[in-house]
Amino acid sequence: MGTPQNPKSKKAKNGTKEGNLTHALVTCTKSGDVSAAISALNAAISTGVRPSANNFNSILHLLSSQASLDPTLVDSAFNLFDQMLSYNITPSESTITSMARIACHKSDGGDLSFGLVKSMNDKYGIKPRLRTYTPCLSFFCERLQAEKAYEVEDHMGTMGISPEESEISKLLEVSSKTGNGDKVYVYMQMLRNHVATVGHATSEAIEGWFKSEKASQVGCVNWEQESVREVILKNGGGYFGGGWLGTGEWEVKKGRIGIDGVCEGCGEKLRGVDLGELERQGFMEKVAGFAIERETKANFSNFQKWLESHPGYEFIIDAANVGLYQQNFADGGFSLSQLDAVVREAKEVCNGKWPLVVLHNRRMAALSENPSNRTLLEHWKSLGVLYTTPSGSNDDWYWIYATISQKALLVTNDEMRDHIFELLGSSSFFPTWKERHQVKYTFKKGKLVLVMPPTYSSVIQESENGSWHVPIGDKCEDERKRTWLCISRSISNNVSNRTNAVDGIDEDKINIEQNGASLIGKQKERS
């Protein structure tokens, strides 16, 4: 009779087998040997090892990383997936993503891949990620199966997932190659909203559309330019969003934009693109919501009411930032003279109109101990120039809200990166708003210099005459060196299709109510 086996020894032995399997799979993954990985798994199972989710996932990930798979390995992957489910192992997002990639090696791989993605939430309660959709979306786009690609995009929307530049570029390209001008327009606007400057692959896709015969045939004739102009103004400047304007061939050039915002290729002046009115209202409500959650509600509500009764400020000044600028020397403190210089300069820029200074009442009390300071501060307060925030409040909420609500410029060197702005940074509104409204400053040899926002925005822009300008490449230290696509109809086409021509957009009127005029004219699409 043999010696009884210690259950702990048996457990340890099995544990060693599992460890050996994991080690073997790690080795196969490093060498990229799919066949050896599958053989190691099958050998371990034959000895009674129960594979883990990580064991299956490592092999499936290895399979999915192969640039090309022969049919037998694709079938092996699906057998592994079925085997994984037979062990009652719930697949993870990474499992389905690997399978979605592997499925695309089949002739009907797009449908199979998309089916796996759709099953994630319904069958397993797993939310897909953008990378999960990319295989089937790429499959359909590469094969010019546009309607199926649009179905993938729609499903992404239902799951709250937004495409990024790579996906938008693919959708734009498949729309271009299948001659769907309406969809190309949608994706041009999507690029504009989600991507500041485009990569070279995207710029090539855009060029491909505008150089196509279909692009010359799709457009609007006899539009009322005044109505288009109003819509562009209400959208914050820089885009129309209602459909192609004009008909006829497009001219596509590459060039640069001057420091004054004028395109070297066509002579058109680009705009500083701001938030549209609905976006501004939404952003303002978001800021107010955060502030009320974190401030004493009555304090912030009082400030909102005060602003309503004191409208029309064109400059808001972050007093703490200005007063403490370069005051980190011995005996340094709050410089009211610096603040006064900024107030006077802002007033000068606005033709005698006073700015609004936001200052904490604790700072106000300290400064008022000096009689001359007190006289100046009380003078400002009597004129409505100064608002003092109450004890326990955070100045930041007040001056950012005031700037948005007043559609004003904000004087501050604050980079807006602390916890407050992290809350706002999740919004696509914040970077656009910051670029167009922040005024930085320096004191060079005691002389104040205000650094105004750039004269134009490096984003895709659509003008009131229907032309487009597309910035290419990553962020530039010197925007004058950036290459742009300059895209416009021929002059004869533009002139013949316009009615009620007007002068260029008045940038001083960018921020007005949105959702007014819509495209007036007849859409024309030649077959």
Side-chain angles (χ1 to χ4, degrees):
M1 188 174 182
T3 305
Q5 189 170 8
N6 187 328
K8 290 185 178 179
S9 299
K10 182 178 181 180
K11 183 178 180 181
K13 188 176 181 181
N14 285 339
T16 300
K17 289 179 181 178
E18 291 167 359
N20 289 340
L21 172 59
T22 298
H23 177 73
L25 294 180
V26 169
T27 302
C28 293
T29 298
K30 289 180 178 178
S31 62
D33 193 336
V34 175
S35 297
I38 295 174
S39 296
L41 178 69
N42 289 333
I45 290 173
S46 68
T47 63
V49 173
R50 187 184 191 281
S52 67
N54 286 337
N55 295 150
F56 284 109
N57 282 333
S58 62
I59 301 176
L60 292 175
H61 179 73
L62 179 58
L63 282 160
S64 72
S65 66
Q66 303 295 307
S68 60
L69 289 175
D70 62 53
T72 58
L73 287 177
V74 174
D75 291 339
S76 295
F78 276 89
N79 289 335
L80 284 170
F81 184 62
D82 290 339
Q83 195 172 19
M84 180 179 183
L85 297 178
S86 73
Y87 281 100
N88 292 320
I89 298 174
T90 302
S92 64
E93 178 274 328
S94 63
T95 310
I96 301 295
T97 298
S98 293
M99 290 304 302
R101 291 170 180 161
I102 294 166
C104 287
H105 290 280
K106 284 179 169 284
S107 58
D108 61 344
D111 293 323
L112 189 56
S113 177
F114 190 30
L116 284 163
V117 176
K118 288 188 288 187
S119 75
M120 288 178 67
N121 191 60
D122 297 339
K123 195 170 182 180
Y124 305 112
I126 305 168
K127 184 176 179 179
R129 293 168 62 181
L130 178 58
R131 67 178 188 177
T132 322
Y133 287 97
T134 300
C136 54
L137 181 65
S138 299
F139 184 99
F140 293 137
C141 289
E142 288 166 6
R143 289 159 181 77
L144 303 185
Q145 295 176 296
E147 294 304 319
K148 289 187 176 182
Y150 302 149
E151 187 182 348
V152 174
E153 185 208 350
D154 288 342
H155 195 272
M156 289 169 62
T158 65
M159 301 306 307
I161 297 172
S162 299
E164 295 181 356
E165 180 180 355
S166 176
E167 291 73 32
I168 300 171
S169 180
K170 289 180 174 69
L171 288 161
L172 186 150
E173 187 170 19
V174 73
S175 301
S176 170
K177 289 180 177 179
T178 56
N180 192 333
D182 289 340
K183 281 290 190 179
V184 173
Y185 194 86
V186 167
Y187 296 125
M188 285 291 290
Q189 297 297 348
M190 194 177 291
L191 278 172
R192 182 193 171 279
N193 290 333
H194 297 288
V195 182
T197 59
V198 305
H200 292 283
T202 304
S203 72
E204 289 175 3
I206 292 171
E207 279 194 77
W209 161 252
F210 283 104
K211 289 181 177 179
S212 70
E213 182 179 355
K214 185 67 175 179
S216 68
Q217 298 172 345
V218 179
C220 172
V221 296
N222 299 325
W223 75 88
E224 293 185 3
Q225 194 168 10
E226 177 64 27
S227 297
V228 171
R229 179 174 179 269
E230 289 176 6
V231 173
I232 290 176
L233 288 170
K234 293 168 186 176
N235 283 335
Y239 84 106
F240 170 48
W244 304 112
L245 298 176
T247 56
E249 291 186 2
W250 294 89
E251 297 177 3
V252 182
K253 307 173 188 175
K254 286 185 178 178
R256 290 180 176 170
I257 308 299
I259 195 170
D260 56 355
V262 175
C263 174
E264 295 175 354
C266 66
E268 183 170 323
K269 182 175 174 58
L270 270 62
R271 308 295 170 185
V273 178
D274 205 345
L275 301 181
E277 183 60 20
L278 286 180
E279 293 174 322
R280 188 188 69 84
Q281 288 286 344
F283 188 37
M284 184 173 68
E285 290 170 6
K286 185 174 184 178
V287 170
F290 281 135
I292 289 171
E293 284 178 11
R294 290 158 177 79
E295 300 282 308
T296 300
K297 183 175 180 179
N299 290 342
F300 197 79
S301 297
N302 288 338
F303 177 60
Q304 290 176 298
K305 292 174 184 176
W306 185 89
L307 277 177
E308 289 174 4
S309 63
H310 294 76
Y313 292 105
E314 296 182 19
F315 271 89
I316 310 297
I317 300 173
D318 175 6
N321 184 269
V322 174
L324 296 173
Y325 177 73
Q326 292 186 335
Q327 299 299 305
N328 55 347
F329 52 85
D331 300 324
F334 189 99
S335 174
L336 190 59
S337 62
Q338 286 182 174
L339 181 57
D340 185 38
V342 172
V343 169
R344 291 177 182 277
E345 182 66 16
K347 182 185 176 187
E348 179 71 21
V349 171
C350 293
N351 299 315
K353 197 170 187 177
W354 287 98
L356 172 63
V357 176
V358 178
L359 181 69
H360 198 281
N361 67 359
R362 176 171 47 82
R363 186 77 64 183
M364 170 80 171
L367 291 169
S368 295
E369 292 177 2
N370 180 305
S372 61
N373 289 348
R374 184 166 62 251
T375 299
L376 177 61
L377 293 169
E378 288 177 353
H379 177 60
W380 284 351
K381 200 151 193 176
S382 68
L383 293 172
V385 176
L386 179 64
Y387 187 91
T388 54
T389 58
S391 299
S393 65
N394 187 324
D395 297 0
D396 295 357
W397 291 119
Y398 290 77
W399 52 252
I400 192 171
Y401 180 84
T403 308
I404 301 166
S405 67
Q406 300 286 302
K407 307 174 187 178
L409 293 171
L410 170 65
V411 183
T412 184
N413 284 345
D414 193 323
E415 291 298 334
M416 305 187 210
R417 291 174 180 159
D418 64 17
H419 66 283
I420 284 180
F421 303 105
E422 286 177 4
L423 294 171
L424 302 177
S426 60
S427 167
S428 60
F429 304 152
F430 185 59
T432 299
W433 172 84
K434 182 181 174 183
E435 182 196 52
R436 297 315 311 158
H437 292 270
Q438 184 174 12
V439 176
K440 294 190 176 183
Y441 61 88
T442 60
F443 285 91
K444 295 182 178 178
K445 296 182 179 179
K447 183 174 177 59
L448 170 67
V449 177
L450 293 182
V451 182
M452 303 299 284
T455 56
Y456 66 94
S457 298
S458 292
V459 297
I460 295 175
Q461 298 200 25
E462 177 189 13
S463 73
E464 62 190 278
N465 63 20
S467 65
W468 292 76
H469 287 83
V470 181
I472 304 172
D474 296 328
K475 184 176 181 179
C476 293
E477 290 297 325
D478 185 353
E479 283 294 323
R480 291 172 297 179
K481 296 181 180 179
R482 181 183 298 285
T483 300
W484 289 68
L485 288 181
C486 168
I487 308 164
S488 58
R489 306 273 192 184
S490 68
I491 294 175
S492 59
N493 286 325
N494 272 339
V495 171
S496 65
N497 283 321
R498 283 189 230 165
T499 63
N500 300 332
V502 295
D503 293 333
I505 295 173
D506 180 358
E507 290 199 48
D508 292 333
K509 297 180 180 178
I510 287 294
N511 288 307
I512 59 177
E513 289 81 18
Q514 194 171 359
N515 281 350
S518 59
L519 178 63
I520 299 175
K522 182 180 179 182
Q523 289 286 73
K524 183 174 182 180
E525 183 171 319
R526 303 192 193 110
S527 58

